[in-house]
Amino acid sequence: MDPDRVLEGLDPEQTEAARALRGPVCILAGAGTGKTRAITHRIAHAVASGVVSEQQILAVTFTARAAGEMRGRLRSLGAPRVQARTFHAAALRQLGFFWPQVVGGEKPTLIDSKLSVVARAANAVGLQPDRLGLRDLASEIEWAKVTQVRPSDYDKAVAKAGRQTPMTTGEVARVFEAYEELRSEHNLLDFESMLELTAGMINEYPAVAQRVRDQYRYFVVDEFQDVNPLQKLLLDAWLGDRDDLCVVGDPSQTIYSFAGATPGYLTGFANRYPHATVVRLVRDYRSTPQVVRVANHVIAQAKGTTSANHLTLQAQRPDGPDPLYQEYDDEPGEATGVARKISVLLEDGTPASEIAVLLRTNSQSAAYEQALADEGVPFTVRGTTRFFERPEIKQAVHTLRGARHGAAGETAEPLVATVRSLLSQMGLTDTAPEGRQARERWESLSALAQLAEDMAAKPGPDGGQATMAAFVDELETRMATEHAPGFEGVTLASLHSAKGLEWDAVFLVGLTEGMMPIIYAETDEQVEEERRLFYVGVTRARASLAMSWSLARSPGGRKTRKPSRFLDGLRPASPSTANRRDRRKGGVVRCRVCSDVLSDTTERKLGRCLDCPSNYDEALLDRLRDWRRQTAQEAKMPAYVIFTDATLQAIAEQEPSSVSQLTAVSGVGPAKLDRYGEAVLALVAGRDPAEAAAGETDAGDGEDEDE
């Protein structure tokens, strides 16, 4: 492939990154700035330029799905043999290859979950924690191992890190030591030991180091702000004394410090490699200017080590709707209000799969599940068991594989009918059942059925209908890359599990002190991590962003909660604050019907409470909407970019007859007044906008002739 053609379509900063082919390279990439595009084009450009062969490149990611996406992009760019793997996948492959040569004997058994071994270790030292306690202990052991802390040093390391522990540090250390003894006794290998052993083999055996370093000479590491000390140990072993290393990341998206990740490797990269090329990607192609402004404001308030490295994003998309800030009396009211707003989005044509409700903790999920169910809105909960590890999915895949072999050489029934028939035997019904566990099982099976329908809607490789064999092949490919099929429902997810994803509309909920930042964030560093977590949530939104909080937990409870400090400078004043400001300065927006203070963005646009009656000319509103649709089509832009629904409603209600009156309508700024004001005033007056414009042009021409 022509090296220059590989660079086509990149923006100037992405091109700069792709042209930096040798030596250490650091790409600081803000949210939505096209970092995957930049690094895959850089790799393809290096291959096309003859700098390195495909087989000598190792691209490291943090999820199998991200690795699969990277491999797919590299195939399309003419570099299909580049290895893109997670740290764990790369280590497992190398450990399996070198084990017979270096250690010999039976290979250790890799354990997916520590819980059973941790439970045995706890019992061995006289402790019997419940399941939640076991999970906390497993997390502590993982943190200790990735930060290279031994059981004997655990108490000192915890004190230095300011961690909160599920038990006394002495008890955790005893469980940790017993866990390691059990693991060694039974020849078990966890993910952390796998990385440690692989690094140890490379560092201690010159022949192994030579073989690995001959194989891989060119490294790319994505999400470098999430690297922990153990992963860094392995990366350094791979590198040796070489420096052909490209790292990509964003310090402002460091949200896994509690698990041992540190942004220091990213922020200190230029210090370690003074001759490094540093490129900053700041053009945000994901979010509207309105969303980007919120993100920039949030991260501009950051303090501490990562604040000096934050990137100010530059929006590249057209205008969208203003962010919504909403205060509710209590949590159930907040959940109900969010569910109703989601219903409106669905009615306006936003796909359910393009809407997300993001939560700080999984415990908040139940209220939103109930509210969405009450509204009849389909939803899925993300962040539970990985899709292909769910029992019902394992059973379904086994059954579908059997059906593939049974259909070999025979005339198969239509794919969708066959799949639905098989899945119905496992519990797939036409409608979702009651109960969370039953509904989650139904969602999983429904997602498989939807995937079959999607495949059936497209012609097969030979132009014919999709077959059961092709469907099972697709499933197996997705299993290998952890690419779960989508479910056509609103996503409920924790902020941590939402990282790396994006939706058209995002609702950030429960934004109160004690929840965001979480009450456990006591140190300045912990509060700053919470700020970055909020920033990650904001930057998941492409167009519509709504932020809400409630003053009490339960209906009738004391309204003592305060909105999150991260909303300071963003949200409109609360009603009580607004009343005080009204007495001092005026300047608040009051309902023109009942005179209540308006804090909701939509209500402020309309100039009235949503519940207050309004008289307006329905025919005028229809004309405004028809004009907006036609104008949007001609300009090839979304309709809301011209005016939002709330602004059109306000125009129809207030019927402005002059430029000054139109300017007073919220949502009609100088730019939109200049571009669309003449047409809107003509519509309000009952005239055709095109004829009015032509009439003014003719009059202007006549005046010129008189002069």
Side-chain angles (χ1 to χ4, degrees):
M1 182 177 289
D2 181 354
D4 290 333
R5 290 196 61 188
V6 176
L7 303 179
E8 291 179 356
L10 300 182
D11 68 28
E13 294 79 23
Q14 292 169 346
T15 301
E16 181 184 359
R19 287 189 180 279
L21 296 180
R22 300 311 301 254
V25 177
C26 177
I27 304 174
L28 298 173
T33 57
K35 67 180 178 66
T36 305
R37 179 179 178 82
I39 58 178
T40 52
H41 281 254
R42 178 182 181 272
I43 291 171
H45 185 50
V47 172
S49 301
V51 170
V52 64
S53 68
E54 295 175 62
Q55 295 90 336
Q56 293 178 319
I57 301 172
L58 180 59
V60 186
T61 70
F62 275 78
T63 66
R65 180 171 186 175
E69 180 186 355
M70 190 175 292
R71 288 194 295 270
R73 293 200 188 193
L74 288 167
R75 278 196 299 270
S76 67
L77 290 170
R81 290 181 290 277
V82 172
Q83 295 294 312
R85 301 182 182 277
T86 64
F87 273 103
H88 294 106
L92 182 61
R93 185 182 179 92
Q94 293 173 14
L95 190 63
F97 180 82
F98 290 112
W99 184 271
Q101 307 170 37
V102 175
V103 181
E106 184 181 357
K107 293 180 182 178
T109 300
L110 181 64
I111 55 175
D112 290 331
S113 172
K114 293 182 175 65
L115 290 184
S116 62
V117 184
V118 171
R120 291 167 60 190
N123 289 335
V125 298
L127 299 173
Q128 292 185 325
D130 58 19
R131 189 167 181 82
L132 288 177
L134 288 175
R135 289 185 180 279
D136 288 341
L137 278 169
S139 296
E140 281 303 296
I141 291 172
E142 287 176 5
W143 172 80
K145 297 189 73 169
V146 301
T147 55
Q148 298 288 274
V149 172
R150 305 304 174 195
S152 58
D153 299 323
Y154 175 77
D155 56 343
K156 295 178 183 177
V158 165
K160 183 177 180 181
R163 290 180 69 83
Q164 294 181 333
T165 58
M167 300 177 177
T168 67
T169 55
E171 288 173 329
V172 176
R174 286 161 50 206
V175 174
F176 183 11
E177 186 172 15
Y179 168 86
E180 290 291 81
E181 290 174 354
L182 280 170
R183 197 179 54 74
S184 176
E185 178 183 345
H186 294 280
N187 199 26
L188 302 176
L189 193 66
D190 58 26
F191 287 114
E192 295 77 35
S193 297
M194 180 173 64
L195 267 60
E196 194 170 36
L197 276 175
T198 305
M201 282 185 177
I202 298 172
N203 288 330
E204 294 176 23
Y205 294 90
V208 174
Q210 186 66 40
R211 183 71 181 270
V212 170
R213 292 167 188 167
D214 283 346
Q215 172 69 51
Y216 296 118
R217 302 187 176 189
Y218 203 79
F219 296 88
V220 177
V221 184
D222 193 13
E223 302 287 3
F224 202 58
Q225 78 280 350
D226 290 334
V227 166
N228 61 48
L230 181 54
Q231 292 163 335
K232 184 62 164 51
L233 178 71
L234 178 58
L235 177 61
D236 287 343
W238 285 337
L239 275 168
D241 58 0
R242 299 167 298 172
D243 65 359
D244 267 329
L245 170 64
C246 174
V247 300
V248 190
D250 180 6
S252 298
Q253 295 189 66
T254 303
I255 59 173
Y256 294 112
S257 295
F258 66 90
T262 171
Y265 300 129
L266 177 63
T267 57
F269 190 83
N271 292 329
R272 179 175 181 181
Y273 299 102
H275 59 299
T277 300
V278 179
V279 182
R280 290 172 172 80
L281 304 184
V282 296
R283 300 175 196 245
D284 187 331
Y285 300 97
R286 174 188 299 161
S287 304
T288 62
Q290 286 77 5
V291 173
V292 168
R293 277 195 290 272
V294 174
N296 284 339
H297 176 90
V298 169
I299 208 62
Q301 312 306 311
K303 305 176 182 64
T305 55
T306 59
S307 62
N309 296 280
H310 83 263
L311 301 168
T312 300
L313 301 175
Q314 300 173 4
Q316 304 297 301
R317 290 189 57 182
D319 277 347
D322 290 333
L324 174 66
Y325 302 88
Q326 182 71 58
E327 183 174 277
Y328 293 92
D329 287 340
D330 49 66
E331 285 185 7
E334 183 178 4
T336 299
V338 167
R340 288 174 178 170
K341 285 180 169 62
I342 289 173
S343 292
V344 173
L345 286 175
L346 296 175
E347 291 172 1
D348 289 343
T350 303
S353 59
E354 287 296 342
I355 303 173
V357 178
L358 302 186
L359 316 156
R360 176 59 183 87
T361 68
N362 291 325
S363 63
Q364 296 170 276
S365 179
Y368 291 89
E369 293 176 37
Q370 185 62 57
L372 291 169
D374 291 344
E375 284 289 312
V377 174
F379 63 91
T380 183
V381 181
R382 183 181 175 84
T384 52
T385 305
R386 286 187 292 185
F387 184 82
F388 287 108
E389 293 180 359
R390 298 175 186 175
E392 64 272 17
I393 294 303
K394 290 183 176 180
Q395 179 189 0
V397 171
H398 177 75
T399 301
L400 292 166
R401 281 173 175 156
R404 172 183 63 181
H405 296 309
E410 302 176 7
T411 302
E413 295 181 20
L415 175 63
V416 175
T418 304
V419 171
R420 281 200 168 273
S421 175
L422 292 170
L423 297 182
S424 66
Q425 299 170 27
M426 299 176 214
L428 180 63
T429 56
D430 291 336
T431 57
E434 296 294 330
R436 177 170 182 172
Q437 291 186 343
R439 181 183 51 73
E440 286 182 354
R441 178 182 175 88
W442 180 87
E443 283 178 4
S444 299
L445 298 175
S446 181
L448 289 184
Q450 183 62 53
L451 179 61
E453 291 181 8
D454 292 343
M455 286 192 65
K458 302 175 183 177
D462 57 356
Q465 289 186 332
T467 63
M468 177 62 74
F471 179 62
V472 174
D473 287 345
E474 173 69 14
L475 280 180
E476 291 179 341
T477 299
R478 286 171 174 264
M479 289 172 67
T481 60
E482 292 186 9
H483 184 191
F487 174 75
E488 186 55 40
V490 172
T491 299
L492 286 172
S494 71
L495 285 163
H496 282 100
S497 67
K499 188 170 181 290
L501 304 175
E502 57 188 78
W503 295 269
D504 284 346
V506 167
F507 290 81
L508 300 178
V509 301
L511 300 179
T512 60
E513 288 290 309
M515 188 60 72
M516 177 55 66
I518 197 76
I519 192 171
Y520 309 116
E522 297 177 347
T523 67
D524 291 343
E525 292 83 357
Q526 290 167 342
V527 170
E528 286 307 306
E529 180 127 338
E530 292 288 299
R531 187 192 308 278
R532 294 191 295 269
L533 186 59
F534 180 50
Y535 174 80
V536 166
V538 169
T539 54
R540 299 311 92 196
R542 296 192 192 103
S544 178
L545 176 63
M547 291 160 279
S548 60
W549 59 94
S550 53
L551 300 178
R553 177 168 184 170
S554 304
R558 294 182 61 191
K559 300 177 183 179
T560 57
R561 292 179 172 176
K562 297 180 180 180
S564 168
R565 70 192 73 174
F566 301 146
L567 295 172
D568 289 351
L570 289 170
R571 67 182 180 91
S574 64
S576 58
T577 304
N579 286 331
R580 290 196 299 270
R581 189 177 71 182
D582 183 42
R583 288 193 296 270
R584 293 194 309 267
K585 300 181 180 178
V588 298
V589 179
R590 290 187 174 276
C591 174
R592 64 175 183 270
V593 179
C594 70
S595 298
D596 277 355
V597 174
L598 303 178
S599 59
D600 180 274
T601 301
T602 301
E603 291 179 338
R604 291 166 71 90
K605 281 182 178 292
L606 294 176
R608 62 171 176 82
C609 301
L610 291 176
D611 296 334
C612 284
S614 173
N615 296 318
Y616 64 92
D617 185 342
E618 293 186 8
L620 171 58
L621 184 57
D622 288 340
R623 290 200 304 274
L624 288 166
R625 286 173 173 163
D626 289 342
W627 163 81
R628 182 182 64 171
R629 182 174 59 252
Q630 181 179 349
T631 304
Q633 289 173 349
E634 291 173 353
K636 296 182 179 180
M637 64 173 63
Y640 65 75
V641 173
I642 297 172
F643 287 120
T644 63
D645 287 344
T647 299
L648 289 189
Q649 178 87 22
I651 292 171
E653 292 183 10
Q654 299 175 34
E655 296 190 18
S657 59
S658 66
V659 170
S660 60
Q661 291 178 358
L662 182 58
T663 304
V665 176
S666 179
V668 183
K672 293 188 178 183
L673 182 69
D674 181 61
R675 192 174 304 164
Y676 308 120
E678 180 183 303
V680 169
L681 290 174
L683 285 165
V684 173
R687 296 180 287 126
D688 183 272
E691 292 179 1
E696 290 196 11
T697 301
D698 292 342
D701 291 342
E703 290 172 3
D704 289 341
E705 290 173 359
D706 289 341
E707 292 177 358

